[in-house]
Amino acid sequence: MALYIIGLGLGSEKDITERGLEAVRNCNFVYIDTYTSILPAEIKKLEDFYGKKLIPATREIVEKQAEEEMLKKAVENDVAFLVVGDVFSATTHVDLALRARKAGIKVHLIHNASILTAVGDTGLSLYKFGKTASIPFENKDVEAPYDVLKENAGMHTLFLLDLKVEENKTMSVKEAVDFLLGVEEKRKEKFFTEETMCVACARLGFEDEEIAYGTAKQIMKEKINKFPQCLIVPGKLHFMEEEYLKGFEVK
């Protein structure tokens, strides 16, 4: 018996791989992460496509009750844990796999696309991205994301924006830009100004994804109402990256 951690992809219930779908249908219990990202479809729609009843797994269940909720069952049953994006996009999923292995439970990983690869839709080369940073809602005294941008000088920087699914709360690119400008105002190091070129992304991996390229000042004025969103600050551009980004320029 085993624990299957399965990536669902980003934009549709149909993005699950054939191998992943087969595993889901063969498992006795199927949990789905409902707190680290926005689901690609409503749970009912996912259940209809997968042909399985899904058990919502909140942060409380995964981080504090996993032994009783999931791992205890995996001793005598095949249990699936479904994750939006790829299997280890969130540290909490690595922790779950570690606890399963310590309990002597075999862990199977079935991968899929994630935001870390979907950013390629912008035309920016994946191998030119530096360290990724997250911008939290509670950021009054936080400057670490700015430090990452500084360290990545010359490379592209992806900022993942905070979300609280259970509260239906998601950070916007505008909030992220405002945060970085605030740190810049305090530090005055000129790593992020109103003239810094930015790529605003919304719902990458979905059919209705939206990408906008312009200065921080221009992005602040753009109407981007789809979620989830992320922000990219490009580093040094190859001519092909530059040409591709022109297709998303803010007019």
Side-chain angles (χ1 to χ4, degrees):
M1 302 298 101
L3 172 67
Y4 290 79
I5 305 180
I6 303 169
L8 299 181
L10 297 171
S12 166
E13 71 280 5
K14 296 178 181 178
D15 281 358
I16 190 170
T17 64
E18 188 172 343
R19 180 173 166 233
L21 184 57
E22 182 180 9
V24 167
R25 291 175 175 171
N26 287 334
C27 282
N28 305 97
F29 299 95
V30 182
Y31 290 84
I32 186 166
D33 173 1
T34 59
Y35 70 96
T36 61
S37 190
I38 295 175
L39 295 177
E42 294 180 358
I43 284 187
K44 179 63 169 62
K45 193 172 183 179
L46 294 170
E47 288 179 332
D48 290 344
F49 186 75
Y50 300 154
K52 278 285 185 175
K53 177 70 177 176
L54 302 182
I55 306 169
T58 61
R59 181 184 296 275
E60 182 76 12
I61 288 176
V62 178
E63 296 184 356
K64 298 181 181 179
Q65 300 171 14
E67 282 77 9
E68 288 299 314
E69 273 286 342
M70 284 185 272
L71 303 187
K72 188 175 181 179
K73 292 175 182 175
V75 173
E76 298 182 353
N77 300 274
D78 284 329
V79 176
F81 178 56
L82 310 185
V83 176
V84 177
D86 198 17
V87 292
F88 284 162
S89 295
T91 307
T92 184
H93 304 145
V94 180
D95 179 60
L96 176 63
L98 280 172
R99 282 184 281 166
R101 287 174 177 170
K102 288 177 181 177
I105 298 166
K106 189 169 181 60
V107 178
H108 296 282
L109 307 177
I110 301 178
H111 294 277
N112 210 315
S114 77
I115 187 63
L116 299 178
T117 52
V119 291
D121 287 4
T122 62
L124 295 173
S125 300
L126 296 180
Y127 61 82
K128 290 175 62 180
F129 275 82
K131 184 178 178 181
T132 297
S134 297
I135 300 178
F137 282 118
E138 293 73 28
N139 56 40
K140 183 179 179 182
D141 299 311
V142 173
E143 296 184 10
Y146 184 95
D147 290 328
V148 170
L149 176 64
K150 183 177 178 180
E151 292 167 15
N152 285 348
M155 303 188 77
H156 309 321
T157 303
L158 168 63
F159 291 101
L160 300 178
L161 311 186
D162 203 359
L163 74 166
K164 296 182 179 179
V165 179
E166 293 163 352
E167 299 176 25
N168 196 29
K169 185 178 179 182
T170 52
M171 180 180 287
S172 69
V173 166
K174 291 180 183 179
E175 290 174 287
V177 169
D178 188 58
F179 161 76
L180 290 169
L181 287 173
V183 179
E184 177 62 48
E185 177 64 25
K186 186 189 303 184
R187 293 172 54 163
K188 301 187 185 304
E189 296 181 26
K190 296 185 178 180
F191 279 96
F192 192 90
T193 71
E194 288 190 341
E195 299 308 311
T196 297
M197 299 304 294
C198 298
V199 185
C201 307
R203 291 175 68 80
L204 286 181
F206 291 75
E207 288 188 2
D208 61 343
E209 73 176 18
E210 187 174 340
I211 299 170
Y213 176 56
T215 65
K217 185 176 182 179
Q218 289 174 318
I219 293 299
M220 287 287 281
K221 296 177 180 178
E222 274 293 286
K223 292 182 179 179
I224 305 173
N225 300 315
K226 301 172 184 176
F227 292 90
Q229 298 182 7
C230 66
L231 172 68
I232 301 170
V233 177
K236 186 176 180 180
L237 295 175
H238 182 271
F239 73 88
M240 195 175 297
E241 293 176 304
E242 195 168 8
E243 183 178 349
Y244 203 90
L245 280 173
K246 284 181 179 179
F248 305 118
E249 274 185 332
V250 174
K251 305 300 180 184

